[in-house]
Amino acid sequence: MDILFVTSEIYPLIKTGGLGDVAHGLPLALRRHGLGVQVVLPAYRDALARAGEVRAVARFTVTACGREYAVTIRAGELAAGVGLLLVDIPPLFDRPGNPYLDADGNDWWDNGERFGVFAMAAARLALGEGAVARADVVHCNDWQSALVPALLQQYCADAARRPPSVFTIHNLSYGGHFPYELFAALGLPSAWWHFSKMEFYGAFSMLKGGIVFADHVTTVSPGYVEEICREPGGFGLHSILSQRRAAGTLSGILNGIDTSVWNPARDPHLPYRYSVKRGRVAQKRRNKQQLLRQLGSGVAEDAPLLGFVGRLVEQKGIDLLLEILPALFDSSTANVVVVGCGMRQFERQLQALARAYPGRLLLYIGYREELAHLVEGGCDIFLMPSRFEPCGLNQMYSLAYGTPPVVHATGGLKDTVVDTTTATLADGSATGFVFAPFTATALRDAIERALALYARPRRWQQVQKNGMQCDFSWENSARPYIELYRRLRREHHEAIRSGRHD
Ligand code: ADP
Ligand code: GLC
């Protein structure tokens, strides 16, 4: 079975968050399970530069927004046997830096056109254009490739020739919303300008297109399915998502972690490696010294070190963290490391706090992959107070790295972290500290519980060990995707045989 996996980012070529990790880990795991996989990605300037050897394998044109775009497909290899197809359209993607934002941190003015045209090229590849892509199932991700399932229908009236599609929602809060003019300029059928299709409160929603037209919709944790089927988590799409769930065509599949990249026993970014069996306590301490040195701090190594890594946006609960940090510093010896970038307002507030608490709040504003690994390997406690979290990978990394996380009881965080209580300590299931409701007081209480347990090394080490023994690898999480692909193929063939297809 051949899967065409369409994504707007992928580690290690270009990454802004978890989608980049998933787009690497899942295809590699699918390949290890014996599937054929080709990943389709826009040929951003940096991605093309990092892609290694690529060769032009197909050329065609896409007409949109009054222009004829010349498309070159450049093929390479992402990793052992996983194909990479870069959609090279220089006027749209030959730009430096972040895939979605310009140098000032604003959305590129033509993002709708960029990803609309990308989706058009990907759909044409899926239907055999250029004869370079094989697709028994097309798997699309987030709004940037959400138009593909609909475009497959637009381009190919013969249902038998159309591969079934899966659309995965990694984050419902990014809708890919644009004015009607873009919908028209992309040449989409006028019948689709309807609230049951792509129209969303007067705007054109690419995300909604994916939800409506894909044969099956998934999201990245079972917990998040519950949240998006009601408000406020549904961001206005809860009823259509509930309908799909009732029809059995929306399901939650928990993300996995890529143990070839995130594994403390083999992590090249860790100066001192360790495993649950070897060197956990001593090596983590050495990593902590290294981390503190790198951040130029003279803080006490004995004091507990709490870490946060992530996009500095409202979703991540950074406002709650800002609210509790002064009291935490005043009332304990704990120090905090924050690695992140995003909304200027949060960056500035963190910088002000770091000035007010020199040496206590250690800040790195920016994106640095290797520092993220060192935070996981060197901190004692990980902080993830997300307002909502579709899945979250960092809490799973922190479990694997023996850095028990403090998390809000939401989405994938709730699905992956077991709160420490007398009962869960006794039965060996405790892995972290879970708080609710989403308030500063509840976060403070959870951090205090974590610090109290940290002061009792034997119990603390048991919680670390419980987390490190969890298996969140993609090996497991790839299986439900494979079952889903197989079922869709089966239903597709049955529908064709019985003439049920449109
Ligand atoms: P999201 O996808 O919402 O950003 P996840 O927890 O799923 O959240 O994934 C975030 C990924 O991005 C992790 O691999 C994390 O280490 C990485 N990341 C986020 N911000 C930074 C940063 N500033 N520097 C390095 N890595 C980062
Ligand atoms: C999104 C979500 C995050 C998830 C990631 C990968 O960015 O915010 O929770 O882990 O996608 O699916």
Side-chain angles (χ1 to χ4, degrees):
M1 185 161 52
D2 287 304
I3 309 302
L4 196 68
F5 192 89
V6 190
T7 180
S8 57
E9 56 181 270
I10 188 165
Y11 170 87
L13 304 185
I14 190 138
K15 169 179 159 187
T16 67
L19 172 59
D21 286 350
V22 172
H24 183 258
L26 176 57
L28 265 63
L30 295 173
R31 182 74 202 106
R32 287 195 294 274
H33 280 280
L35 279 72
V37 194
Q38 288 176 293
V39 179
V40 184
L41 176 82
Y44 309 106
R45 186 181 297 174
D46 296 353
L48 197 54
R50 292 191 192 116
E53 205 176 306
V54 292
R55 60 202 166 85
V57 290
R59 290 178 209 281
F60 52 88
T61 56
V62 166
T63 307
C65 307
R67 296 180 67 170
E68 280 228 323
Y69 284 105
V71 181
T72 307
I73 304 299
R74 301 189 190 278
E77 202 178 46
L78 184 68
V82 178
L84 173 68
L85 296 172
L86 290 169
V87 176
D88 193 7
I89 311 172
L92 298 179
F93 297 115
D94 183 18
R95 302 179 194 181
N98 187 294
Y100 319 120
L101 310 176
D102 64 19
D104 297 325
N106 299 314
D107 286 349
W108 285 109
W109 59 276
D110 56 350
N111 268 352
E113 184 169 344
R114 294 171 81 218
F115 292 104
V117 172
F118 169 63
M120 291 164 100
R124 301 238 318 242
L125 277 175
L127 291 169
E129 180 106 27
V132 291
R134 289 177 307 274
D136 291 315
V137 176
V138 184
H139 188 160
C140 312
N141 297 277
D142 275 353
W143 72 263
Q144 294 89 346
S145 53
L147 285 185
V148 173
L151 292 168
L152 292 173
Q153 292 194 20
Q154 186 187 2
Y155 295 164
C156 182
D158 177 5
R161 277 196 51 236
R162 232 168 30 215
S165 55
V166 174
F167 175 58
T168 296
I169 301 167
H170 295 263
N171 196 329
L172 201 66
S173 72
Y174 297 98
H177 294 162
F178 300 96
Y180 168 79
E181 286 67 30
L182 180 71
F183 174 88
L186 292 176
L188 297 170
S190 53
W192 292 355
W193 187 256
H194 189 267
F195 71 86
S196 66
K197 300 284 190 288
M198 295 182 186
E199 189 265 348
F200 182 66
Y201 294 102
F204 163 38
S205 168
M206 292 197 186
L207 178 75
K208 189 172 174 185
I211 295 170
V212 170
F213 283 90
D215 291 298
H216 194 95
V217 180
T218 70
T219 187
V220 289
S221 71
Y224 195 53
V225 174
E226 302 297 320
E227 290 176 23
I228 61 178
C229 285
R230 53 173 198 255
E231 290 306 320
F235 288 91
L237 292 164
H238 67 286
S239 61
I240 153 186
L241 287 161
S242 306
Q243 283 160 23
R244 291 224 62 164
R245 181 162 66 155
T249 56
L250 164 66
S251 53
I253 302 179
L254 191 72
N255 281 337
I257 67 174
D258 191 337
T259 47
S260 68
V261 182
W262 292 94
N263 178 350
R266 290 203 298 265
D267 190 332
H269 301 305
L270 289 190
Y272 302 97
R273 294 179 202 133
Y274 56 92
S275 66
V276 70
K277 291 203 188 88
R278 282 201 25 233
R280 175 164 38 105
V281 178
Q283 299 290 72
K284 261 190 87 69
R285 196 177 170 85
R286 292 198 183 104
N287 285 324
K288 181 171 169 180
Q289 289 164 355
Q290 189 75 24
L291 172 64
L292 291 171
R293 216 168 296 142
Q294 273 202 26
L295 294 170
S297 153
V299 303
E301 284 157 18
D302 290 334
L305 187 62
L306 283 61
F308 171 97
V309 178
R311 296 178 294 115
L312 300 179
V313 294
E314 273 185 11
Q315 177 195 342
K316 300 293 172 184
I318 195 76
D319 46 336
L320 220 54
L321 206 55
L322 280 159
E323 196 178 330
I324 62 122
L325 284 183
L328 178 73
F329 292 137
D330 292 340
S331 66
S332 76
T333 57
N335 300 306
V336 175
V337 176
V338 172
V339 175
C341 50
M343 288 172 68
R344 298 284 180 264
Q345 158 210 348
F346 291 137
E347 295 182 356
R348 274 196 291 270
Q349 281 174 273
L350 282 163
Q351 280 158 340
L353 203 62
R355 278 193 299 275
Y357 289 90
R360 304 290 307 274
L361 174 59
L362 312 171
L363 198 57
Y364 178 84
I365 298 288
Y367 191 96
R368 237 175 92 195
E369 191 78 26
E370 62 281 11
L371 195 53
H373 287 247
L374 192 54
V375 168
E376 296 288 8
C379 283
D380 298 303
I381 295 167
F382 196 82
L383 298 171
M384 207 153 164
S386 309
R387 190 170 256 102
F388 69 93
E389 196 61 77
C391 179
L393 296 172
N394 272 316
Q395 84 282 10
M396 291 196 268
Y397 300 152
S398 73
L399 292 172
Y401 280 63
T403 313
V406 173
V407 304
H408 174 217
T410 183
L413 299 178
K414 197 161 125 191
D415 288 347
T416 51
V417 181
V418 178
D419 189 36
T420 299
T421 61
T422 317
T424 58
L425 269 175
D427 69 15
S429 61
T431 58
F433 303 86
V434 184
F435 71 90
F438 184 76
T439 60
T441 314
L443 170 59
R444 248 325 275 289
D445 287 350
I447 293 178
E448 265 159 24
R449 285 197 291 128
L451 292 173
L453 202 76
Y454 178 77
R456 305 176 69 177
R458 279 199 38 211
R459 290 198 169 192
W460 183 255
Q461 286 166 24
Q462 185 57 49
V463 173
Q464 280 183 311
K465 196 166 155 196
N466 295 345
M468 291 179 86
Q469 282 170 335
C470 294
D471 181 1
F472 289 116
S473 68
W474 270 115
E475 258 22 69
N476 291 335
S477 294
R479 281 198 192 96
Y481 279 108
I482 297 171
E483 275 163 32
L484 172 64
Y485 300 150
R486 289 213 176 104
R487 178 160 66 81
L488 290 175
R489 289 291 297 161
R490 215 170 37 241
E491 287 171 2
H492 180 71
H493 290 310
E494 279 162 12
I496 291 165
R497 256 202 314 277
S498 61
R500 266 187 290 119
H501 250 313
D502 44 68

